[in-house]
Amino acid sequence: MMAGQRHDGLTAEGASAPDALARLAAAKDAAEAANEAKTRFLASLAHEIRSPLNAIYGYAQLLERSEGTDPLAAARVIRRSAEHLSSLVEGLLDIAQIEGGALTLAREPIRFPEFLDQLIDMLQLQARAKGLALVLDRPPGLPEFVNTDPKRLRQVLINLVTNAIKFTDQGTVTLRVEYRNQLATFSVIDTGIGIAPADAERIFAPFERVGGERPGVGLGLAITQALVHIMGGEITVESMPGEGSCFRVRLMLSQPLSPPTDPAPAAGAVTGYLGRERRVLLIDDDPAHLTMLRGLLEPLGFQVHDASTGARALALAAEVQPDLVLCDVMLAGENGWDIAAQLRRRHGEALRIVMVSGEGPLSALAPAALPANDAFVMKPFDFAVLLDVIAAQLELVWLRVAGAAPAAAGAAPSPRLPAALGPQLVAHGAEIARLVRIGHVRGLEGAIDALAALTPEAAPLADRMRAALDRFDLAALAALAQTVAADAE
C-alpha cells in the first residue's frame, strides 16, 4: 500500500515537471528581457548624460581660455545643460519614490481653464518648431476651479503632449478635455507614427523605448502611468501604426466648496535683515558651492565662515560661535550628520543647524536616532527657498526692495504691448509669476519664449526677462512679470 502510494506520488510529481520547467523557462525569459531593457536604458542614459556634460565641460574650457567666447552665451548653455542633467536625475528619483511608495500628493485649488491655456502656451513653440499645430479642445462650461496636485497633473500632461510632439512629424497634436460629474478626461491625440500592437503592451514599462532612434531614456510614460494611478485615475492608449495615437487619462477632479482668494503679489528682492549681524558657518568640501553661498549671504550682511573638513568646522565653530550652520551631508571621507551631532553636543540648542545636500533626509547616511539638525534643504535649491529656511531658523525680518526692479541704466523702455492681447498677456504674466515662486527654471524659459512669440512688441520685455533669469534674479523677473498686464492696458 505504501509502495503504491509512493508510486502515485511520483507519477503526479512527474506529471507536474513539464509545468515547472515551463514556469522556470518563462521566468528566465522575463529576467533576460528585463536585463536587456536595463542594458538599453543604461546605454541611452549614458548618451543623455554625456551630451550635456560635454557642453558644460567644453564651454567651461573656452571660458578658461578666454578665446572670444561670449560669457553670457556660455553661461546660458552651461545652465541649460545643467538643467537637462537635473531633469534626468528628477526622473530617476521619481521612479525610485514611486516604487518605494514615498511619493506624496498635494491637493489645492487651481484655475482649471487658465491652467490648460498656460500649459498649451508653454508647449506651443515646441510644436511650431516641428511645423505642427497644437490644439486645445475644451468645452466652454469647464469649472473655473478644481482641486488637484498641479505639479503632478502638469507633469502628466506635459509628458503626454511632448511625447506626442516627439513622435509626430506632420499634422496636429490635440489636447481634448472633457468634464462631467467631477470626472475629467484628458485625451492627447496625434497624427504621428502610431504604435504597433506588440509595443503598446510595453510602452509603460520602465526603461523601455519604442519608436526607433527617437531621443529619450524610456522613463516618461512609466512615470506618467504611475502618477495617474497614484492620483486615483486610469490611463489607456489607442493606436495604429501610421495613423497616430490617442492617450486618454481619467481623473476625479472635485470642485472647491468656495472660490479661493488670489495669492498676494510677489515681494521685492531681499537686501538685508533687521537686527544684529548674524554669523553663518558653511561646511562643504566643494569650493564652488562655498563660493556660491558666500556670494548669496555676504551681500545681505551675514558674517560668513567656511570649512571643508569636520575638524576645521568644529574648531571654527568654537572660535566664532556661529548662529547658523549650513552643513553638507556627504563630505570627503566624513559624514555630515556626525559633524552636526558633535556641533549640537558642544553648542546646545541655540545653534541652528541646516543640512544641505543632494542626499535626501532619509538616505542611508542619515542617523537611525533623532538627527541633530533643525531643517533640511535639498540640492539643487532655489535661493528664495534657502532664504526662507534661514529666516525661519534665525527668526529674521528681511529688508526688501520696494516696488518693481528698476531697468538697467541706459536701457530703452519696452514698447507697450497690444491691448488686444490683454487676456493672453495677463495669463502669461501670471504663469511667469507662478513659476518664479516655485523656482521652475525650465518652465520659465518656455513661458518667456511663449510670451515673445505672442507679438514682436514683446521681444524687448522677453529679453529683459531672460537676462534676469540668466542672473537667477527671480525678484527682478517677478517684477517684470507684474508689468506684463500693465503694459497691455
Side-chain angles (χ1 to χ4, degrees):
M1 205 46 200
M2 294 290 292
Q5 289 175 348
R6 185 162 54 249
H7 175 74
D8 291 343
L10 288 171
T11 301
E13 189 176 311
S16 67
D19 292 339
L21 289 173
R23 287 194 295 272
L24 287 172
K28 178 176 177 292
D29 291 342
E32 289 177 349
N35 283 334
E36 290 176 4
K38 288 183 179 180
T39 298
R40 291 194 301 271
F41 162 74
L42 290 173
S44 177
L45 182 62
H47 171 75
E48 291 286 321
I49 289 175
R50 284 193 183 105
S51 295
L53 274 180
N54 185 62
I56 292 170
Y57 185 48
Y59 273 93
Q61 291 178 87
L62 289 175
L63 287 173
E64 285 181 333
R65 293 159 66 100
S66 301
E67 294 187 351
T69 302
D70 179 1
L72 185 58
R76 283 181 178 147
V77 172
I78 290 171
R79 177 171 56 78
R80 287 170 181 167
S81 299
E83 287 162 7
H84 179 63
L85 289 174
S86 178
S87 176
L88 290 175
V89 172
E90 287 169 7
L92 294 171
L93 291 176
D94 279 342
I95 286 290
Q97 281 188 307
I98 291 166
E99 290 184 346
L103 190 71
T104 58
L105 294 177
R107 181 177 173 82
E108 60 186 80
I110 63 168
R111 293 184 182 272
F112 196 27
E114 183 179 300
F115 173 89
L116 297 170
D117 290 338
Q118 292 167 358
L119 183 78
I120 293 299
D121 286 343
M122 288 171 59
L123 301 173
Q124 196 68 255
L125 284 181
Q126 186 178 344
R128 288 176 185 167
K130 292 191 66 176
L132 304 175
L134 180 58
V135 177
L136 174 59
D137 179 7
R138 60 176 172 87
L142 285 180
E144 184 179 3
F145 294 96
V146 295
N147 292 313
T148 187
D149 184 325
K151 174 183 176 182
R152 297 307 179 182
L153 179 58
R154 187 179 295 105
Q155 187 176 0
V156 165
L157 296 179
I158 286 177
N159 281 351
L160 292 177
V161 174
T162 54
N163 210 53
I165 293 171
K166 181 193 301 183
F167 292 103
T168 302
D169 294 323
Q170 58 183 359
T172 305
V173 173
T174 301
L175 172 59
R176 179 174 297 155
V177 185
E178 301 163 278
Y179 188 90
R180 184 177 181 183
N181 297 330
Q182 302 192 67
L183 177 66
T185 303
F186 303 91
S187 302
V188 178
I189 307 160
D190 66 60
T191 57
I193 62 175
I195 303 168
D199 289 335
E201 298 176 2
R202 61 186 182 89
I203 56 173
F204 293 110
F207 317 124
E208 291 287 355
R209 294 175 62 200
V210 298
E213 298 303 316
R214 306 289 173 125
V217 293
L219 290 177
L221 287 177
I223 293 172
T224 299
Q225 184 187 57
L227 289 174
V228 169
H229 289 169
I230 290 171
M231 296 169 75
E234 66 173 7
I235 181 169
T236 57
V237 59
E238 300 171 6
S239 184
M240 289 292 293
E243 297 183 12
S245 306
C246 174
F247 285 83
R248 186 168 288 113
V249 172
R250 294 185 177 89
L251 291 169
M252 294 298 296
L253 301 182
S254 63
Q255 299 180 50
L257 297 177
S258 59
T261 57
D262 288 329
V270 173
T271 59
Y273 55 89
L274 294 176
R276 66 174 178 84
E277 182 184 54
R278 303 309 204 277
R279 295 178 295 275
V280 179
L281 173 59
L282 310 176
I283 308 173
D284 201 300
D285 59 353
D286 184 347
H289 184 74
L290 294 174
T291 301
M292 177 191 70
L293 287 178
R294 272 189 175 275
L296 170 67
L297 299 177
E298 284 184 337
L300 301 182
F302 291 99
Q303 183 186 127
V304 181
H305 306 269
D306 62 69
S308 58
T309 67
R312 175 59 181 158
L314 294 170
L316 200 54
E319 177 185 342
V320 303
Q321 295 296 310
D323 300 285
L324 173 73
V325 170
L326 301 179
C327 182
D328 192 15
V329 168
M330 294 184 67
L331 302 170
E334 296 181 275
N335 185 338
W337 295 108
D338 295 338
I339 298 170
Q342 293 182 64
L343 287 168
R344 177 66 72 215
R345 286 194 296 270
R346 297 185 184 190
H347 297 271
E349 296 299 320
L351 176 63
R352 314 312 291 169
I353 302 174
V354 177
M355 306 304 289
V356 183
S357 178
E359 287 275 338
L362 301 178
S363 71
L365 291 176
L370 189 65
N373 66 305
D374 300 292
F376 190 100
V377 175
M378 182 77 100
K379 295 178 183 178
F381 51 79
D382 177 2
F383 283 174
V385 171
L386 181 63
L387 291 180
D388 285 345
V389 171
I390 291 173
Q393 293 303 316
L394 297 180
E395 299 181 348
L396 295 179
V397 175
W398 294 124
L399 300 175
R400 296 180 180 272
V401 173
S414 298
R416 295 186 64 82
L417 303 178
L421 295 175
Q424 292 173 273
L425 292 169
V426 170
H428 279 71
E431 175 64 2
I432 292 170
R434 186 192 66 79
L435 293 169
V436 167
R437 288 196 296 273
I438 64 175
H440 192 326
V441 177
R442 292 193 306 278
L444 281 167
E445 287 187 330
I448 294 170
D449 289 343
L451 173 65
L454 273 180
T455 174
E457 288 89 340
L461 179 59
D463 287 341
R464 289 171 60 189
M465 287 182 167
R466 292 189 187 101
L469 183 59
D470 286 332
R471 298 192 307 270
F472 213 77
D473 188 351
L474 297 184
L477 187 53
L480 289 169
Q482 291 175 11
T483 69
V484 172
D487 286 348
E489 294 177 352

